[in-house]
């Protein structure tokens, strides 16, 4: 998958250093994947949630952080839309961010 944008993740882990390694791991797996459907993601990330408008929520570092991506399955692209704590996640609309 082509992931837009690593810079968003990097900016986040600069202020939350404990998120760096888990976000790097997620990025490495996603980058080398060819997910064509939600079931492909679910096969790798059992805890992934699908919230509509092709948004996928990943639990990072044992649910210490949440990552939302918008997926274009046909084009093989993922767009980083949000990374934050569960409390920050609760204040946003995952389908529209």
């Amino acid at each position: 998958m082509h992931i837009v944008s690593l810079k968003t993740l990097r900016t986040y882990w600069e202020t939350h250093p404990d998120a760096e390694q888990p976000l790097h791991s997620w990025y490495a797996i996603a980058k080398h994947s060819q997910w064509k459907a939600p079931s492909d993601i679910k096969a790798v990330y059992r805890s992934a949630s699908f919230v509509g408008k092709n948004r996928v929520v990943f639990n990072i570092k044992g649910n210490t952080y949440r990552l939302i991506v918008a997926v274009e399955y046909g084009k093989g692209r993922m767009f980083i839309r949000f990374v934050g704590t569960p409390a920050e996640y609760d204040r946003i609309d995952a389908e529209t961010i």
Side-chain angles (χ1 to χ4, degrees):
M1 301 293 289
H2 176 73
I3 302 170
V4 183
S5 141
L6 177 60
K7 182 180 178 186
T8 303
L9 298 181
R10 187 176 294 120
T11 299
Y12 193 79
W13 73 53
E14 286 173 356
T15 57
H16 299 84
D18 64 318
E20 183 174 2
Q21 190 281 325
L23 288 170
H24 263 294
S25 293
W26 175 87
Y27 182 83
I29 292 168
K31 180 177 144 184
H32 292 101
S33 297
Q34 295 180 359
W35 294 323
K36 302 290 184 196
S39 59
D40 297 335
I41 294 173
K42 201 67 162 169
V44 177
Y45 288 101
R46 300 265 226 212
S47 65
S49 301
F50 302 88
V51 294
K53 296 189 180 178
N54 287 330
R55 300 298 198 273
V56 183
V57 180
F58 295 92
N59 295 326
I60 303 295
K61 194 181 175 215
N63 204 27
T64 300
Y65 301 104
R66 297 218 178 128
L67 171 67
I68 301 174
V69 299
V71 183
E72 290 182 349
Y73 294 100
K75 294 180 180 180
R77 292 191 294 208
M78 300 179 94
F79 298 87
I80 306 294
R81 305 301 299 159
F82 170 86
V83 61
T85 66
E88 292 166 332
Y89 172 85
D90 289 344
R91 293 191 296 264
I92 59 148
D93 181 355
E95 287 187 26
T96 60
I97 195 161

